Amino acid sequence: MKAPAIFEFFRRLAEANPAPETELAYVNDYTLLVAVVLSAQATDIGVNKATKRLFETVTTPEAMVALGEEGLRAHIRTIGLFNTKAKNVIALSEALIREHGGQVPADRDALERLPGVGRKTANVVMNTAFGAETFAVDTHIFRVCNRTGLAPGKTVLAVERGLEKRVPKPFRLGAHHWLILHGRYVCKARRPECWRCPLADLCRFNPKTLA
């Protein structure tokens, strides 16, 4: 996809949704971090249901450590891989207290050193909590970027690098939100709804749905 088409691509997404946000529910930077860690291989809706009562009382690393692994598991049993995630959340909470005074660091490398936090999670937190122009490539973004020709790549990192090079300045902060939402609700994995896609004329994907 050429530069003029890329600009128009994001202009249309921005026009339809001027202030895109994550669909994960959170209270502060810490609960955002926890929610993103829990969302791996799970839906935002499922995570929000599991954390609704949790985040009413647990909003700091100290409170999470006090709740303990068993207490956390009781809240998140409906989420996939909840045992491993409970261990990681308690461990990252302890690390935040020990190494960062209980605060979420505004540094991607520091975030990635926390238990259970990978590059994608760190990018989401950097973007949503701290306004960094990062691109958190999940399965939705990977699919959209390859289908449309926006930033094709064989790996998640390759797609991220492509976005870093190609996304125009006015759209960099909201880009990953727009792409996630587009992949989640329009450019779906099995039955992409090309018939109602506002980007269809810019896209190189051969539609698999009826007109």
Side-chain angles (χ1 to χ4, degrees):
M1 190 180 293
K2 303 299 183 182
I6 293 174
F7 190 94
E8 179 62 15
F9 183 103
F10 284 106
R11 188 200 66 77
R12 293 180 191 179
L13 293 176
E15 183 177 52
N17 183 6
E21 297 179 344
T22 179
E23 293 188 320
L24 286 170
Y26 64 98
V27 178
N28 54 24
D29 296 348
Y30 172 70
T31 54
L32 171 66
L33 174 60
V34 171
V36 179
V37 169
L38 295 177
S39 71
Q41 300 182 44
T43 65
D44 288 1
I45 292 174
V47 172
N48 290 343
K49 287 181 179 178
T51 59
K52 183 176 181 181
R53 293 187 63 186
L54 174 67
F55 290 164
E56 288 176 356
T57 56
V58 179
T59 59
T60 65
E62 292 81 3
M64 188 67 76
V65 171
L67 177 65
E69 191 176 319
E70 185 175 347
L72 178 56
R73 281 201 301 267
H75 282 279
I76 64 171
R77 287 185 184 279
T78 55
I79 301 175
L81 306 175
F82 70 90
N83 281 317
T84 299
K85 290 177 181 179
K87 285 184 179 180
N88 284 335
V89 169
I90 296 301
L92 74 83
S93 300
E94 291 172 340
L96 288 175
I97 295 168
R98 183 175 63 250
E99 300 170 16
H100 302 285
Q103 301 299 309
V104 177
D107 179 83
R108 183 163 59 187
D109 291 338
L111 286 167
E112 287 191 63
R113 286 194 290 271
L114 296 172
V117 177
R119 187 177 181 87
K120 186 189 77 171
T121 295
N123 279 339
V124 172
V125 174
M126 287 300 297
N127 179 272
T128 303
F130 304 115
E133 295 177 348
T134 53
F135 305 94
V137 180
D138 67 351
T139 55
H140 296 300
I141 292 182
F142 186 81
R143 179 174 66 252
V144 170
C145 287
N146 275 289
R147 274 183 178 171
T148 61
L150 172 65
K154 293 183 178 180
T155 67
V156 167
L157 186 58
V159 170
E160 181 184 333
R161 296 299 190 211
L163 289 171
E164 288 177 348
K165 292 179 181 178
R166 295 182 177 94
V167 178
K169 185 65 177 177
F171 309 113
R172 295 178 71 83
L173 185 60
H176 98 262
H177 293 297
W178 284 314
L179 293 170
I180 287 172
L181 295 172
H182 188 67
R184 185 174 290 164
Y185 297 113
V186 180
C187 194
K188 301 175 183 179
R190 294 187 178 181
R191 293 182 62 83
E193 299 181 3
C194 306
W195 55 271
R196 70 180 187 92
C197 177
L199 311 171
D201 60 312
L202 304 173
C203 176
R204 73 177 186 183
F205 182 61
N206 184 24
K208 294 182 179 179
T209 54
L210 296 174

